[in-house]
């Protein structure tokens, strides 16, 4: 079965650079969630999209922005990177109107800021 | 607001023994509860969920969990642990579907399970 695809899997950037993370949800899934998992931490919700509209916003820094495109893939744009942005970034997808459906997580993008 | 507590940072169990990983939650309204497992340098894999109905839910790899509304708990259990079960386990909660709003997951801090041969 098709799973959530994230690219790149690994990314190394320097401080103050920008980074773009991509997420391709499971086919027919209309909702995308982004989570950030710092070293030794639990995943923290950043932002979510449903039908290309932002549906909720969590602890996402103002330096970050995201969007969902017409094909439902999503991109997380990160600017002015800081050392503290080093983390595993997960994308998850689900169906909005299927009550109780679990979120399916991608393998994550490991971002290292040096 | 919703929150999850996993009181044990680490659980050690001998192979073949039963295991329990504890989770308590707080949510406004009816909860949907989930367990995910994370192997080193890997993503989160879904194990099982409680939505409604039977309080005992069965999931992947022989795991099960019991929903206890009065104790607001959702402990993960397995009758006989395997070395390959060693991983990081996350309990997560979200508000029940209401047709509006977002359904972000709130995770516990995770419990590292070590199964000793």
């Amino acid at each position: 079965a098709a799973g959530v695809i994230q690219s790149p899997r690994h990314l190394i950037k320097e401080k103050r650079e920008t980074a773009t993370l991509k997420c391709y949800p499971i086919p027919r899934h209309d909702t995308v969630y982004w989570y950030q998992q710092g070293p030794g931490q639990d995943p923290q919700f950043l932002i979510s999209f449903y039908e290309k509209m932002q549906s909720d916003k969590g602890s996402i820094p103002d330096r970050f922005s995201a969007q969902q495109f017409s094909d439902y893939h999503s991109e997380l744009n990160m600017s002015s990177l800081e050392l503290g942005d080093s983390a595993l970034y997960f994308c998850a997808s689900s169906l909005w109107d299927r009550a109780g459906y679990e979120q399916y997580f991608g393998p994550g993008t490991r971002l290292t800021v040096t | 607001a919703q929150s999850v507590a996993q009181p044990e940072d680490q659980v050690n169990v001998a192979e073949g023994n039963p295991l329990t990983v504890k989770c308590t939650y707080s949510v406004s309204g009816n909860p949907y509860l989930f367990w995910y497992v994370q192997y080193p340098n890997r993503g989160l894999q879904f194990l099982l969920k409680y939505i409604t109905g039977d309080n005992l839910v069965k999931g992947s790899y022989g795991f099960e969990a019991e929903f206890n509304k009065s104790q607001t708990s959702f402990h993960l259990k397995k009758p006989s642990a395997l070395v390959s079960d060693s991983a990081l386990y996350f309990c997560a909660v979200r508000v029940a579907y209401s047709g509006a709003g977002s359904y972000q997951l709130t995770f516990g801090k995770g419990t590292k399970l070590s199964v000793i041969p």
Side-chain angles (χ1 to χ4, degrees), chain A residues 9 33 35 37 40-45 48 55-58 88 90 96-108 110, chain B residues 32 34 36 38 40-46 48-49 51 88 90 94 97-110:
Chain A
R9 295 292 309 277
Y33 300 79
Y35 293 85
Q37 184 180 28
Q41 301 296 314
D42 57 298
Q44 294 289 319
F45 171 72
S48 62
S55 54
D56 201 4
K57 191 173 181 180
L88 192 56
F90 287 113
W96 178 267
D97 63 349
R98 300 299 292 272
Y101 261 56
E102 63 271 23
Q103 295 175 18
Y104 293 86
F105 283 79
R110 184 169 295 282
Chain B
Y32 287 172
F34 305 83
Y36 286 86
Q38 185 177 33
N41 301 311
R42 301 286 294 276
L44 294 165
Q45 296 180 36
F46 169 77
L48 51 78
K49 65 182 177 185
I51 304 300
L88 189 56
F90 288 100
R94 52 161 268 202
Y97 178 75
S98 63
S102 176
Y103 305 106
Q104 57 172 288
L105 290 174
T106 296
F107 289 86
K109 295 298 182 184

Side-chain angles (χ1 to χ4, degrees), chain B residues 24-67:
Chain B
T24 59
Y25 68 91
S26 173
V27 66
S28 299
N30 293 321
Y32 287 172
L33 294 154
F34 305 83
W35 276 101
Y36 286 86
V37 60
Q38 185 177 33
Y39 295 96
N41 301 311
R42 301 286 294 276
L44 294 165
Q45 296 180 36
F46 169 77
L47 276 181
L48 51 78
K49 65 182 177 185
Y50 171 82
I51 304 300
T52 187
D54 201 351
N55 289 344
L56 184 64
V57 295
K58 296 185 183 297
S60 309
Y61 313 118
F63 284 94
E64 58 187 31
E66 186 167 12
F67 172 65

Side-chain angles (χ1 to χ4, degrees), chain A residues 19-23 34-35 46-47 60 64-67 74-78 89:
Chain A
T20 297
L21 279 54
K22 297 184 179 182
C23 168
W34 285 97
Y35 293 85
L46 292 178
I47 196 166
I60 185 169
F64 294 5
S65 64
Q67 58 182 325
S74 178
E75 294 184 5
L76 178 66
N77 299 294
M78 311 160 72
Y89 290 83

Side-chain angles (χ1 to χ4, degrees), chain B residues 78-94:
Chain B
K78 188 174 182 180
S80 178
L82 301 173
V83 172
S84 57
D85 293 331
S86 298
L88 189 56
Y89 290 80
F90 288 100
C91 180
V93 67
R94 52 161 268 202

